[in-house]
Amino acid sequence: MQVDVLNANELKKTAPVFGQLSFDDHEQVVFCNDKDTGLKAIISIHSTVLGPALGGTRMWNYANEWEALNDALRLSRGMTFKSAITGLNLGGGKAVIIGDSKTQKTHELMRRFGEFVHSLSGKYITAEDIGMETRDMDTVREVTPYVTGISESKGGAGNPSPITAYGVFMGMKAAAKYKYGSDDLEGKKVMVQGIGHVGEALVEHLSNEGAQIFISDINLPKLEEVSKKYGAKIYTDDIYSADVDIYAPCALGASINDETIGRIKASIIAGAANNQLADEVRHGNILKDKGIVYAPDFLINAGGIINVYAELEGYDKKEIIRKTENIYNTTLEILKMAESSGITSHNAALKIAQQRIDDRKKKNLN
Ligand code: NAD
């Protein structure tokens, strides 16, 4: 269950933190308040079994604190599984800052936030998410080393979006190999929903491959620009019922929900958005029953975290690309495993990730 589909009253009915719907045995949740700068933030650490909990900071104008808390809980859990399935020695964490990033984000507020991150002594490492820019991470870096996604000029790995897009492209090709017997996307009709940082870079890969690209976004000037640049067709009708082979959600989460799932005609879903399935179990099962191949989001959009992990481990661009290309093999392996075990691909990916965490836990105990 996701926060997107809950209303404030439903959230309030449950107990403060441990009783939240998105609570999943999180290790630590930290509420940060600073009167002088107006900072109100929540840092959620889901797991540190595999390593420090790394995950971005999201600044969003949440309707209420319950929504912010549930978002932090849900997103940090997602990070645990993303890093585990990708083979990184990282746990899962996420931070949310309550407020409008366009009007309320100041240098002082970001520094204060950085001090709170620092107070956790490296148990949580932050990065960019929605509402954050590389320069904000540079500000956080002024007060703590526990931050990634800083500028290349300051020793960081720079913008992760092109790498995320490359990983999504690899996952999509693996899904095509599984479904059609070939990973060649030439001539395949692909609908890209959301042509922001990741979506546009994905369109470029698809264009180089000779796919027939359809694009949808709420930003009309951007649609015109990307259409002209890559020869993609702008699609304004209901995208779910569009007659395409592949649907790539690259905008917001929960786009596969009760309203949309019955209309989806694509035979593959592979995109960058986090938490694409509004209900992981129910919607995962419906896709499976309909024979739609779903490339798990947290697996194929891991390029970004591979990129920022390089800052911690000191590996270079070549290694980033190698690790990101490996998303192809993992996706194929998971789709085959899901089929042979009769479970959803999402569930298969979760199982493998959980196994890695359990193994490490056992090892740590010995
Ligand atoms: P972005 O903000 O640059 O782009 C999102 C795009 O979606 C924007 O162009 C926006 O106008 C469009 N959009 C919003 N609502 C829409 C709607 N209803 N229909 C169609 N288009 C809509 O974000 P991004 O960095 O490209 O990330 C895209 C998705 O991928 C997000 O869900 C993000 O959480 C996820 N993701 C991104 C990264 C990364 O490295 N940037 C990594 C992992 C996951």
Side-chain angles (χ1 to χ4, degrees):
M1 180 74 76
Q2 298 201 4
V3 75
D4 318 43
V5 293
L6 299 173
N7 67 43
N9 286 333
E10 277 177 287
L11 294 174
K12 274 186 213 163
K13 273 183 216 156
T14 54
V17 177
F18 301 139
Q20 289 301 305
L21 285 164
S22 311
F23 183 74
D24 177 44
D25 282 320
H26 288 66
E27 285 180 19
Q28 192 174 3
V29 180
V30 184
F31 289 76
C32 316
N33 179 57
D34 183 60
K35 194 170 171 228
D36 294 342
T37 57
L39 174 74
K40 287 210 174 339
I42 304 170
I43 299 173
S44 171
I45 297 174
H46 177 249
S47 168
T48 55
V49 174
L50 293 175
L54 192 147
T57 297
R58 176 171 292 191
M59 187 162 185
W60 191 255
N61 221 349
Y62 292 99
N64 53 64
E65 288 173 28
W66 302 100
E67 197 183 286
L69 172 60
N70 273 277
D71 211 21
L73 291 172
R74 184 176 60 90
L75 290 165
S76 57
R77 171 182 180 266
M79 293 309 296
T80 297
F81 292 114
K82 186 183 300 206
S83 286
I85 194 85
T86 311
L88 308 179
N89 289 321
L90 290 173
K94 203 88 181 184
V96 299
I97 299 178
I98 301 171
D100 185 336
S101 64
K102 291 202 176 70
T103 57
Q104 291 170 273
K105 191 171 60 181
T106 60
H107 187 78
E108 277 316 305
L109 181 139
M110 288 311 301
R111 274 182 71 98
R112 193 68 192 101
F113 172 70
E115 285 165 6
F116 279 108
V117 171
H118 193 69
S119 73
L120 292 167
S121 310
K123 195 170 179 187
Y124 168 67
I125 300 174
T126 198
E128 288 162 58
D129 194 65
I130 295 170
M132 289 291 136
E133 310 285 338
T134 306
R135 65 173 174 274
D136 298 317
M137 295 305 111
D138 291 346
T139 304
V140 171
R141 183 69 186 85
E142 289 170 12
V143 292
T144 182
Y146 306 125
V147 54
T148 55
I150 54 176
S151 316
E152 283 181 274
S153 61
K154 291 190 161 56
N159 177 11
S161 303
I163 299 292
T164 301
Y166 187 52
V168 170
F169 182 59
M170 288 294 115
M172 189 184 283
K173 280 175 84 65
K177 173 84 181 158
Y178 174 80
K179 181 77 183 174
Y180 312 127
S182 161
D183 62 15
D184 188 355
L185 299 178
E186 188 177 1
K188 291 277 181 263
K189 292 185 203 154
V190 186
M191 170 71 70
V192 182
Q193 177 187 35
I195 41 156
H197 292 106
V198 181
E200 180 178 350
L202 177 64
V203 166
E204 186 175 358
H205 289 297
L206 291 167
S207 162
N208 293 338
E209 181 103 347
Q212 288 186 58
I213 313 158
F214 298 85
I215 50 175
S216 154
D217 201 291
I218 48 174
N219 182 339
L220 298 180
K222 183 86 190 180
L223 273 177
E224 295 289 347
E225 180 199 320
V226 172
S227 170
K228 258 196 208 136
K229 217 163 151 186
Y230 304 102
K233 291 195 185 79
I234 298 173
Y235 199 87
T236 48
D237 288 344
D238 172 32
I239 62 159
Y240 302 100
S241 45
D243 185 16
V244 294
D245 301 299
I246 302 171
Y247 161 47
C250 297
L252 302 174
S255 67
I256 301 155
N257 54 48
D258 286 343
E259 296 235 318
T260 59
I261 200 160
R263 307 205 298 274
I264 297 174
K265 290 220 181 86
S267 47
I268 289 175
I269 299 176
N274 283 311
N275 304 107
Q276 291 166 24
L277 303 173
D279 184 320
E280 289 176 10
V281 178
R282 206 158 50 77
H283 296 127
N285 273 314
I286 297 173
L287 292 180
K288 176 173 155 282
D289 293 344
K290 285 179 73 160
I292 297 174
V293 173
Y294 172 69
D297 49 9
F298 66 93
L299 162 64
I300 72 166
N301 73 10
I305 194 149
I306 292 172
N307 199 57
V308 295
Y309 189 55
E311 286 179 32
L312 301 176
E313 292 290 299
Y315 54 74
D316 61 7
K317 210 78 197 177
K318 253 192 182 162
E319 182 60 10
I320 292 174
I321 298 291
R322 193 198 64 75
K323 280 188 157 55
T324 305
E325 283 177 345
N326 198 41
I327 289 175
Y328 180 103
N329 299 326
T330 316
T331 306
L332 204 51
E333 193 185 306
I334 275 162
L335 293 175
K336 286 178 184 165
M337 176 196 155
E339 185 182 337
S340 62
S341 320
I343 58 176
T344 68
S345 51
H346 189 85
N347 202 0
L350 278 183
K351 271 192 165 189
I352 292 185
Q354 188 63 54
Q355 190 61 52
R356 189 166 168 245
I357 295 166
D358 292 346
D359 289 349
R360 181 69 63 86
K361 241 186 207 165
K362 264 189 220 146
K363 212 169 147 197
N364 289 348
L365 283 176
N366 293 332

